[in-house]
Amino acid sequence: MTITDIYEAMNSKAESLFEWAQAHPEIGLLLAAVLLSLWLAGLLLRWKWACRWQFGGKLWMFDGCTPETRRWIQIALVGMALMACLTMLFVCRR
């Protein structure tokens, strides 16, 4: 077995995985909803990993806010993203 054979085998597996993901988008939306729910729970329970504000200076307008205000902004943004994800999951079914 050569490297080319290994590459072709991995490429065909990846291609079949992406075809399956395109045929079942609700699984991806469900996974995104679970991850967003976990992040929202972390924000609400003040877990350190969830409340860390590191956006590399891209959200400079919120740098002057207190950590509690930043947490509430994150809660609002993650909550809206979760609602959008759940809306797409339940309303936009085939």
Side-chain angles (χ1 to χ4, degrees), residues 30-49:
L30 185 61
L31 179 64
V34 166
L35 292 175
L36 285 169
S37 298
L38 180 66
W39 189 9
L40 185 61
L43 287 169
L44 292 172
L45 297 173
R46 291 182 173 89
W47 293 340
K48 279 187 177 182
W49 63 268

Side-chain angles (χ1 to χ4, degrees), residues 1 3 10 13 15 17 23 33 43 45 58 66 69 76-77 79:
M1 184 174 253
I3 291 181
M10 289 175 59
K13 285 288 185 188
E15 186 176 321
L17 177 67
L43 287 169
L45 297 173
K58 292 182 175 88
T66 64
T69 304
L77 293 174

Side-chain angles (χ1 to χ4, degrees), residues 24-76:
H24 302 91
E26 60 273 355
I27 301 298
L29 286 170
L30 185 61
L31 179 64
V34 166
L35 292 175
L36 285 169
S37 298
L38 180 66
W39 189 9
L40 185 61
L43 287 169
L44 292 172
L45 297 173
R46 291 182 173 89
W47 293 340
K48 279 187 177 182
W49 63 268
C51 293
R52 195 168 293 136
W53 186 271
Q54 294 180 349
F55 290 105
K58 292 182 175 88
L59 294 175
W60 54 267
M61 63 203 90
F62 299 116
D63 285 345
C65 297
T66 64
E68 190 65 20
T69 304
R70 289 185 199 149
R71 186 176 76 89
W72 281 107
I73 292 169
Q74 279 185 308
I75 288 172

